[in-house]
Amino acid sequence: MPASDAPPKDPGPGPRRAAPALAAFAAVRLLGLAVLAVWSAAAGSSPHTLLSARWDSLWYARIAARGYGYEVVLPSGAVHSNLAFFPLLPWLERLVAAPTGLSYGSAGLVVSAVAGLAAAWGIFAVADLLYGRRAGVLAVALWAALPVGIVQSMAYSESLFTALAAWALYAALRGRWLTAGLLAAGAGLTRPVGAAVVAAVWVAAALAWRRGERSWRMAAGVLLAPLGAAAYVLWVGARTGGGLTGYLDVQAGWGNGFDGGWAFARFIGARLASSAFLAGVGLIAGVLLVLWLYALCVRRRLPAALLVYCGIVVALALCASGYFGSKPRLLLPAFPLVLPPAVALARRPGGWAAAVVGGLALVSAVYGAFWLNGSGPP
């Protein structure tokens, strides 16, 4: 069933209608946390530390505590500055920590838990709008059961960003331009890939304009959408003295850039030429799966806004030159990829769909516990 760029009829994603999707999300995430707790007990590690006080979560917590200006100079001379991290998550961590007395890392877990539910609700809203309630519930369950779904429960910004993106896209599909613009601005204050949300809102507005819609709300939404990302990038440029390219210079210090996927291809090639051959084959299979799912989205004629958003998220994740272990979690916000399999599952008997989702959830839980107690997401 193809989707249309014209606003579909929508019963509204109210709490009652979304309840099964939210319950499915909570069940999958609780399973992941339970397996992590058991695995960590056996490994002698702390689940709380793994979720809230390692890798990027430490950088966010430091920003919440002390603001910007911290950097680490590596022996190679590379500079890792905390200006690479967008401010919305640290702001919210500070907001939660102040009245509760929680540490900033723990406050980040609270933000992530709430944002995860909001993201699940937003994904349901989009899928329900396009394909119906059953597909919406399954889309949420599949998103929660992704192999790196444990990141949704960490003090990271993926859940927060996905929540803002999903609801911005839903608002754009419904023609609620002020809401779409404000949420896109929030996404732009959360992660660099907020540009994908801005582009999606602009595309949706352009198509609505071509259909004859004219309103000051549309114009305001279009103008509001890029303000969050633009404000932070310009502020970083002014602070560093780098002007318009100041933020890119900060990212370059981390080894991040856009090279069309060349560095990633060399990374895979090195694995294929070494004893890690199977890992290289797995990476190729993973990339092909992502591209195949995106092709299915195109074939199913998802609304152009969703295709633009998802395409940019996928392109930035696969074609950036940053740390390669980050790529799976960078794909987490690309939730439109789960819509084709959700629609296919919705056509199957309930028991069959439940078995598939349950199996994927168990694999995700085990992999997440293994991952966090090993190399983990940087």
mmCIF file of all heavy atoms in Angstrom, residues 270-297:
data_model
loop_
_atom_site.group_PDB
_atom_site.id
_atom_site.type_symbol
_atom_site.label_atom_id
_atom_site.label_comp_id
_atom_site.label_asym_id
_atom_site.label_seq_id
_atom_site.Cartn_x
_atom_site.Cartn_y
_atom_site.Cartn_z
ATOM 1 N N ALA A 270 40.171 -3.792 5.003
ATOM 2 C CA ALA A 270 41.221 -4.272 5.906
ATOM 3 C C ALA A 270 40.752 -5.501 6.673
ATOM 4 O O ALA A 270 41.537 -6.430 6.930
ATOM 5 C CB ALA A 270 41.616 -3.160 6.875
ATOM 6 N N ARG A 271 39.469 -5.525 7.043
ATOM 7 C CA ARG A 271 38.945 -6.700 7.736
ATOM 8 C C ARG A 271 38.913 -7.906 6.804
ATOM 9 O O ARG A 271 39.227 -9.023 7.198
ATOM 10 C CB ARG A 271 37.524 -6.421 8.258
ATOM 11 C CG ARG A 271 37.469 -5.321 9.306
ATOM 12 C CD ARG A 271 38.278 -5.709 10.543
ATOM 13 N NE ARG A 271 38.391 -4.654 11.518
ATOM 14 C CZ ARG A 271 39.267 -3.666 11.473
ATOM 15 N NH1 ARG A 271 40.097 -3.560 10.441
ATOM 16 N NH2 ARG A 271 39.358 -2.791 12.440
ATOM 17 N N LEU A 272 38.531 -7.707 5.568
ATOM 18 C CA LEU A 272 38.458 -8.812 4.621
ATOM 19 C C LEU A 272 39.837 -9.402 4.330
ATOM 20 O O LEU A 272 39.951 -10.588 4.003
ATOM 21 C CB LEU A 272 37.821 -8.332 3.310
ATOM 22 C CG LEU A 272 36.341 -7.939 3.384
ATOM 23 C CD1 LEU A 272 35.891 -7.355 2.049
ATOM 24 C CD2 LEU A 272 35.476 -9.136 3.765
ATOM 25 N N ALA A 273 40.866 -8.565 4.472
ATOM 26 C CA ALA A 273 42.226 -9.021 4.169
ATOM 27 C C ALA A 273 42.960 -9.521 5.404
ATOM 28 O O ALA A 273 44.164 -9.765 5.353
ATOM 29 C CB ALA A 273 43.019 -7.887 3.521
ATOM 30 N N SER A 274 42.233 -9.674 6.513
ATOM 31 C CA SER A 274 42.872 -10.079 7.756
ATOM 32 C C SER A 274 42.153 -11.291 8.335
ATOM 33 O O SER A 274 41.255 -11.868 7.719
ATOM 34 C CB SER A 274 42.851 -8.922 8.757
ATOM 35 O OG SER A 274 41.529 -8.700 9.225
ATOM 36 N N SER A 275 42.542 -11.630 9.558
ATOM 37 C CA SER A 275 41.881 -12.744 10.245
ATOM 38 C C SER A 275 40.450 -12.405 10.637
ATOM 39 O O SER A 275 39.680 -13.283 11.035
ATOM 40 C CB SER A 275 42.673 -13.126 11.504
ATOM 41 O OG SER A 275 42.784 -12.007 12.374
ATOM 42 N N ALA A 276 40.090 -11.107 10.534
ATOM 43 C CA ALA A 276 38.728 -10.676 10.855
ATOM 44 C C ALA A 276 37.854 -10.684 9.602
ATOM 45 O O ALA A 276 36.964 -9.843 9.435
ATOM 46 C CB ALA A 276 38.748 -9.286 11.480
ATOM 47 N N PHE A 277 38.096 -11.655 8.722
ATOM 48 C CA PHE A 277 37.373 -11.740 7.449
ATOM 49 C C PHE A 277 35.868 -11.790 7.656
ATOM 50 O O PHE A 277 35.100 -11.108 6.976
ATOM 51 C CB PHE A 277 37.848 -12.973 6.669
ATOM 52 C CG PHE A 277 37.095 -13.207 5.398
ATOM 53 C CD1 PHE A 277 37.414 -12.501 4.247
ATOM 54 C CD2 PHE A 277 36.054 -14.136 5.351
ATOM 55 C CE1 PHE A 277 36.715 -12.714 3.063
ATOM 56 C CE2 PHE A 277 35.346 -14.354 4.177
ATOM 57 C CZ PHE A 277 35.683 -13.643 3.030
ATOM 58 N N LEU A 278 35.426 -12.618 8.617
ATOM 59 C CA LEU A 278 33.988 -12.754 8.847
ATOM 60 C C LEU A 278 33.367 -11.438 9.321
ATOM 61 O O LEU A 278 32.208 -11.134 8.981
ATOM 62 C CB LEU A 278 33.719 -13.859 9.863
ATOM 63 C CG LEU A 278 34.015 -15.290 9.377
ATOM 64 C CD1 LEU A 278 33.721 -16.293 10.484
ATOM 65 C CD2 LEU A 278 33.180 -15.611 8.137
ATOM 66 N N ALA A 279 34.129 -10.664 10.084
ATOM 67 C CA ALA A 279 33.629 -9.357 10.511
ATOM 68 C C ALA A 279 33.432 -8.448 9.302
ATOM 69 O O ALA A 279 32.443 -7.700 9.214
ATOM 70 C CB ALA A 279 34.593 -8.717 11.499
ATOM 71 N N GLY A 280 34.361 -8.516 8.351
ATOM 72 C CA GLY A 280 34.219 -7.722 7.128
ATOM 73 C C GLY A 280 32.999 -8.134 6.334
ATOM 74 O O GLY A 280 32.254 -7.282 5.822
ATOM 75 N N VAL A 281 32.776 -9.446 6.236
ATOM 76 C CA VAL A 281 31.586 -9.936 5.534
ATOM 77 C C VAL A 281 30.319 -9.467 6.241
ATOM 78 O O VAL A 281 29.335 -9.052 5.605
ATOM 79 C CB VAL A 281 31.619 -11.473 5.438
ATOM 80 C CG1 VAL A 281 30.301 -12.005 4.885
ATOM 81 C CG2 VAL A 281 32.782 -11.935 4.570
ATOM 82 N N GLY A 282 30.324 -9.494 7.577
ATOM 83 C CA GLY A 282 29.174 -9.035 8.343
ATOM 84 C C GLY A 282 28.890 -7.554 8.118
ATOM 85 O O GLY A 282 27.730 -7.147 8.010
ATOM 86 N N LEU A 283 29.952 -6.752 8.029
ATOM 87 C CA LEU A 283 29.771 -5.320 7.778
ATOM 88 C C LEU A 283 29.153 -5.082 6.407
ATOM 89 O O LEU A 283 28.251 -4.253 6.250
ATOM 90 C CB LEU A 283 31.109 -4.601 7.888
ATOM 91 C CG LEU A 283 31.681 -4.443 9.296
ATOM 92 C CD1 LEU A 283 33.103 -3.918 9.237
ATOM 93 C CD2 LEU A 283 30.800 -3.508 10.116
ATOM 94 N N ILE A 284 29.642 -5.818 5.410
ATOM 95 C CA ILE A 284 29.074 -5.680 4.062
ATOM 96 C C ILE A 284 27.597 -6.068 4.073
ATOM 97 O O ILE A 284 26.743 -5.379 3.490
ATOM 98 C CB ILE A 284 29.859 -6.545 3.058
ATOM 99 C CG1 ILE A 284 31.270 -5.989 2.884
ATOM 100 C CG2 ILE A 284 29.136 -6.588 1.713
ATOM 101 C CD1 ILE A 284 32.153 -6.849 2.009
ATOM 102 N N ALA A 285 27.288 -7.185 4.754
ATOM 103 C CA ALA A 285 25.896 -7.635 4.834
ATOM 104 C C ALA A 285 25.024 -6.581 5.517
ATOM 105 O O ALA A 285 23.884 -6.328 5.094
ATOM 106 C CB ALA A 285 25.817 -8.961 5.579
ATOM 107 N N GLY A 286 25.558 -5.967 6.579
ATOM 108 C CA GLY A 286 24.800 -4.940 7.284
ATOM 109 C C GLY A 286 24.522 -3.727 6.408
ATOM 110 O O GLY A 286 23.401 -3.199 6.397
ATOM 111 N N VAL A 287 25.525 -3.284 5.675
ATOM 112 C CA VAL A 287 25.343 -2.133 4.774
ATOM 113 C C VAL A 287 24.316 -2.461 3.690
ATOM 114 O O VAL A 287 23.426 -1.659 3.378
ATOM 115 C CB VAL A 287 26.681 -1.717 4.145
ATOM 116 C CG1 VAL A 287 26.467 -0.673 3.045
ATOM 117 C CG2 VAL A 287 27.618 -1.154 5.211
ATOM 118 N N LEU A 288 24.436 -3.663 3.108
ATOM 119 C CA LEU A 288 23.485 -4.062 2.067
ATOM 120 C C LEU A 288 22.059 -4.145 2.609
ATOM 121 O O LEU A 288 21.097 -3.784 1.917
ATOM 122 C CB LEU A 288 23.900 -5.408 1.464
ATOM 123 C CG LEU A 288 25.183 -5.399 0.629
ATOM 124 C CD1 LEU A 288 25.528 -6.806 0.157
ATOM 125 C CD2 LEU A 288 25.048 -4.449 -0.566
ATOM 126 N N LEU A 289 21.916 -4.618 3.848
ATOM 127 C CA LEU A 289 20.587 -4.688 4.464
ATOM 128 C C LEU A 289 19.992 -3.296 4.613
ATOM 129 O O LEU A 289 18.805 -3.072 4.305
ATOM 130 C CB LEU A 289 20.673 -5.375 5.820
ATOM 131 C CG LEU A 289 19.374 -5.432 6.632
ATOM 132 C CD1 LEU A 289 18.296 -6.206 5.879
ATOM 133 C CD2 LEU A 289 19.624 -6.044 8.014
ATOM 134 N N VAL A 290 20.795 -2.347 5.091
ATOM 135 C CA VAL A 290 20.311 -0.974 5.259
ATOM 136 C C VAL A 290 19.881 -0.390 3.913
ATOM 137 O O VAL A 290 18.808 0.222 3.787
ATOM 138 C CB VAL A 290 21.400 -0.097 5.912
ATOM 139 C CG1 VAL A 290 21.029 1.387 5.833
ATOM 140 C CG2 VAL A 290 21.606 -0.500 7.372
ATOM 141 N N LEU A 291 20.714 -0.587 2.887
ATOM 142 C CA LEU A 291 20.389 -0.053 1.564
ATOM 143 C C LEU A 291 19.142 -0.727 0.986
ATOM 144 O O LEU A 291 18.313 -0.078 0.332
ATOM 145 C CB LEU A 291 21.580 -0.228 0.619
ATOM 146 C CG LEU A 291 22.847 0.537 1.019
ATOM 147 C CD1 LEU A 291 23.971 0.249 0.029
ATOM 148 C CD2 LEU A 291 22.576 2.039 1.096
ATOM 149 N N TRP A 292 19.003 -2.027 1.227
ATOM 150 C CA TRP A 292 17.824 -2.750 0.750
ATOM 151 C C TRP A 292 16.556 -2.238 1.425
ATOM 152 O O TRP A 292 15.530 -2.032 0.764
ATOM 153 C CB TRP A 292 17.996 -4.250 1.003
ATOM 154 C CG TRP A 292 16.812 -5.080 0.618
ATOM 155 C CD1 TRP A 292 16.322 -5.301 -0.640
ATOM 156 C CD2 TRP A 292 15.944 -5.797 1.516
ATOM 157 N NE1 TRP A 292 15.209 -6.117 -0.593
ATOM 158 C CE2 TRP A 292 14.960 -6.438 0.710
ATOM 159 C CE3 TRP A 292 15.920 -5.974 2.893
ATOM 160 C CZ2 TRP A 292 13.959 -7.232 1.276
ATOM 161 C CZ3 TRP A 292 14.915 -6.761 3.436
ATOM 162 C CH2 TRP A 292 13.961 -7.377 2.635
ATOM 163 N N LEU A 293 16.628 -2.009 2.726
ATOM 164 C CA LEU A 293 15.469 -1.486 3.446
ATOM 165 C C LEU A 293 15.103 -0.090 2.931
ATOM 166 O O LEU A 293 13.914 0.240 2.788
ATOM 167 C CB LEU A 293 15.744 -1.446 4.947
ATOM 168 C CG LEU A 293 15.776 -2.801 5.657
ATOM 169 C CD1 LEU A 293 16.243 -2.635 7.092
ATOM 170 C CD2 LEU A 293 14.403 -3.472 5.617
ATOM 171 N N TYR A 294 16.111 0.722 2.649
ATOM 172 C CA TYR A 294 15.811 2.053 2.115
ATOM 173 C C TYR A 294 15.182 1.945 0.727
ATOM 174 O O TYR A 294 14.238 2.690 0.401
ATOM 175 C CB TYR A 294 17.072 2.918 2.054
ATOM 176 C CG TYR A 294 16.763 4.338 1.646
ATOM 177 C CD1 TYR A 294 16.149 5.212 2.539
ATOM 178 C CD2 TYR A 294 17.039 4.804 0.360
ATOM 179 C CE1 TYR A 294 15.831 6.515 2.171
ATOM 180 C CE2 TYR A 294 16.725 6.091 -0.013
ATOM 181 C CZ TYR A 294 16.123 6.947 0.893
ATOM 182 O OH TYR A 294 15.797 8.232 0.522
ATOM 183 N N ALA A 295 15.680 1.006 -0.081
ATOM 184 C CA ALA A 295 15.071 0.789 -1.395
ATOM 185 C C ALA A 295 13.606 0.369 -1.257
ATOM 186 O O ALA A 295 12.754 0.789 -2.050
ATOM 187 C CB ALA A 295 15.867 -0.262 -2.171
ATOM 188 N N LEU A 296 13.298 -0.455 -0.244
ATOM 189 C CA LEU A 296 11.905 -0.834 -0.002
ATOM 190 C C LEU A 296 11.064 0.388 0.373
ATOM 191 O O LEU A 296 9.900 0.489 -0.036
ATOM 192 C CB LEU A 296 11.829 -1.875 1.119
ATOM 193 C CG LEU A 296 12.267 -3.296 0.784
ATOM 194 C CD1 LEU A 296 12.113 -4.195 2.016
ATOM 195 C CD2 LEU A 296 11.448 -3.861 -0.376
ATOM 196 N N CYS A 297 11.653 1.288 1.151
ATOM 197 C CA CYS A 297 10.926 2.515 1.498
ATOM 198 C C CYS A 297 10.576 3.308 0.239
ATOM 199 O O CYS A 297 9.473 3.857 0.116
ATOM 200 C CB CYS A 297 11.775 3.383 2.433
ATOM 201 S SG CYS A 297 12.018 2.701 4.095
#
